[in-house]
Amino acid sequence: MGGRGGWWRGKSTPAKVETYTRWSFHTFPFIEVATFALPAFGYVPAPVNWILFLLVSTHAAVAAVTASLTLDWTRGRRPLPVRLLWALGTATVVIAVVSLVVALHGPRGADNGAAAGTVFVGVLSFGVGTLALAVRGTPRMVYGVLGAAVGAGAVAVPAGVSAPGAAVAAGAVVLAAGFFTFTSAFSVWLLNAVYELDEARETRARLAVAEERLRFGRDLHDVMGRNLAVVALKSELAVQLARRGRPQAVEQMVEVQRIARETQREIREVVRGYREADLRTELAGAQGVLTAAGIDCEVSGPVTGLPAEIQSALGWVVREATTNVLRHGDAARCAVSLRVAEGRVTLTVENDGAPGIGSGSGTDTAEPGRGSGLAGLRERLREVDGVLRAGPAGSDLFRLTAEVPLPPDSVPEQAPAPEPGGSPRPVPHPVSEVTS
């Protein structure tokens, strides 16, 4: 049981929706046989009842295979099974007509008319509903349902059904086939919509990373471009002066050396600004991004007043945790809390989508085989004497805890949590995978 549960929890949300959709269509053959074939044994004599049972069972099997392959086509995994669709359409018409003729003109039973109408309507309805998986556009689906109803009425009268009975059969086909057609169309729409939303979320994360890389590249270009241009000019001047034996060449090379050192300092400042993370900004960004992704996010605890190096380290924890809640697991709720007690600040990130951020043992020991994200967070926290713990905290709960000691003279002020409606700031930096 635990293995099956883990198999299900390990799936992404689109994969879960697809699995549910497929199994829903896999149950249709059993429903068709149980609803339209088995009752024939109660009011149709042998061997007609067995003939009806075999005909309906064959149709249900063909419809099941067609539905499975057509769903693959809707996801772009295989070409449209045109031949199989034609085979299903032909089988639907032939089996419906044959079952109608056999029930009406075969050995007389208690209620052959009811058997004929039930099997006839059922086979047509399930057949049209399955064929709708390969149809694009509501008008075509409507035409298909109406065409099946008109065809049912046109076939029923020559087969021996009265005109009122044929009209009733046509109306039943409209209702039943319309219902199954709507079910098929809605299932495909929902499946495609879930996959598109998941792709949009991943695209948003990639764009945020790309935008930050561009910003970082622009900063480096501004620093390096300007200073290297000056270095080139100074070096060229020094070369010309040296060729003429002028002592000013030494002064120019000294200036080049000064500019090079200044460039190193500016680059370090750019990189430092790139690597530092503001805790309050990261909390606001985490709440905004998770809320936009449909995850209920609660942020609580004091934010201001912490030393800059501690804010930077904890900001990275929030950034990594948020990214992995989005990219792993299937969380519906995430809680981020910050607590200061006994000279230590504790950041806790919990989500109910385990496995969401790795699956550590809950201790701060190294975990061979894990992704580099968890190790990177430990390295950052180690710089401020902090520790990191990550692991399951219940059946479907994952908890990540970071503890950092505060300097003796550091007393953080209580500040309200970021507003839910604040401007979301997606995780802007390339984040290493926490789970492998």
Side-chain angles (χ1 to χ4, degrees):
M1 183 67 180
R4 289 194 296 270
W7 165 80
W8 177 257
R9 288 195 299 268
K11 287 179 172 289
S12 63
T13 299
K16 288 180 179 179
V17 174
E18 181 175 356
T19 301
Y20 172 79
T21 302
R22 288 184 177 276
W23 280 106
S24 297
F25 280 100
H26 290 338
T27 61
F28 282 1
F30 300 98
I31 296 175
E32 183 177 358
V33 173
T35 304
F36 304 111
L38 293 180
F41 287 95
Y43 47 77
V44 177
V48 177
N49 50 11
W50 282 104
I51 294 175
L52 293 177
F53 176 79
L54 292 176
L55 289 175
V56 175
S57 299
T58 301
H59 181 268
V62 175
V65 176
T66 303
S68 179
L69 297 182
T70 307
L71 283 175
D72 287 339
W73 168 73
T74 61
R75 297 303 316 142
R77 297 169 185 160
R78 67 168 64 243
L80 181 66
V82 178
R83 294 182 179 179
L84 192 57
L85 290 168
W86 276 106
L88 175 62
T90 303
T92 298
V93 174
V94 172
I95 293 175
V97 173
V98 171
S99 64
L100 181 64
V101 173
V102 169
L104 290 177
H105 301 286
R108 305 305 298 174
D111 196 352
N112 283 30
T118 302
V119 174
F120 184 64
V121 172
V123 170
L124 283 177
S125 300
F126 274 93
V128 172
T130 304
L131 292 173
L133 291 172
V135 177
R136 291 291 177 266
T138 302
R140 294 183 178 181
M141 295 182 183
V142 173
Y143 297 152
V145 173
L146 295 179
V150 172
V155 170
V157 174
V161 179
S162 62
V168 171
V173 170
V174 169
L175 295 178
F179 171 77
F180 287 116
T181 298
F182 171 79
T183 301
S184 299
F186 180 77
S187 298
V188 172
W189 173 84
L190 179 62
L191 183 61
N192 291 334
V194 171
Y195 269 105
E196 289 175 1
L197 288 174
D198 187 68
E199 292 173 359
R201 185 172 65 178
E202 292 183 358
T203 301
R204 179 178 59 187
R206 288 195 297 268
L207 288 176
V209 172
E211 181 180 358
E212 183 61 16
R213 286 174 176 171
L214 289 175
R215 184 198 67 80
F216 184 61
R218 287 194 300 268
D219 291 345
L220 284 180
H221 177 269
D222 292 341
V223 172
M224 297 294 294
R226 179 188 65 249
N227 291 355
L228 287 178
V230 176
V231 167
L233 292 175
K234 293 286 185 181
S235 300
E236 183 179 356
L237 178 59
V239 170
Q240 298 295 332
L241 292 174
R243 288 176 177 174
R244 299 175 184 177
R246 303 285 293 274
Q248 290 86 349
V250 176
E251 297 178 0
Q252 296 298 326
M253 292 307 300
V254 170
E255 182 68 12
V256 168
Q257 186 181 39
R258 184 192 67 78
I259 295 175
R261 290 176 178 174
E262 181 68 16
T263 302
Q264 287 181 327
R265 183 188 63 80
E266 291 181 357
I267 291 177
R268 282 195 296 268
E269 290 180 355
V270 171
V271 174
R272 186 181 301 112
Y274 176 76
R275 292 176 59 87
E276 288 181 353
D278 180 70
L279 179 57
R280 185 174 182 83
T281 303
E282 296 299 334
L283 288 173
Q287 190 172 35
V289 169
L290 292 176
T291 301
I295 301 174
D296 184 18
C297 181
E298 297 180 1
V299 179
S300 60
V303 177
T304 59
L306 297 175
E309 62 274 10
I310 293 180
Q311 287 204 37
S312 178
L314 295 181
W316 269 98
V317 174
V318 174
R319 181 182 297 177
E320 298 262 8
T322 302
T323 300
N324 285 279
V325 169
L326 289 172
R327 300 180 66 179
H328 307 287
D330 186 23
R333 183 187 64 84
C334 181
V336 183
S337 62
L338 199 66
R339 182 172 58 89
V340 179
E342 300 178 356
R344 300 180 69 84
V345 55
T346 303
L347 174 70
T348 303
V349 182
E350 293 182 346
N351 74 89
D352 59 355
I357 316 172
S359 54
S361 60
T363 63
D364 192 53
T365 58
E367 300 178 17
R370 302 295 176 192
S372 60
L374 203 59
L377 290 181
R378 287 196 171 98
E379 292 178 1
R380 292 181 184 276
L381 291 174
R382 195 176 295 119
E383 295 176 357
V384 290
D385 298 325
V387 295
L388 182 73
R389 298 182 179 87
S395 58
D396 291 323
L397 189 67
F398 189 89
R399 178 180 299 153
L400 185 145
T401 304
E403 294 185 3
V404 180
L406 288 170
D409 56 346
S410 177
V411 181
E413 301 175 358
Q414 186 73 21
E419 294 293 334
S423 176
R425 177 179 180 265
V427 181
H429 298 282
V431 180
S432 302
E433 295 289 338
V434 174
T435 57
S436 58

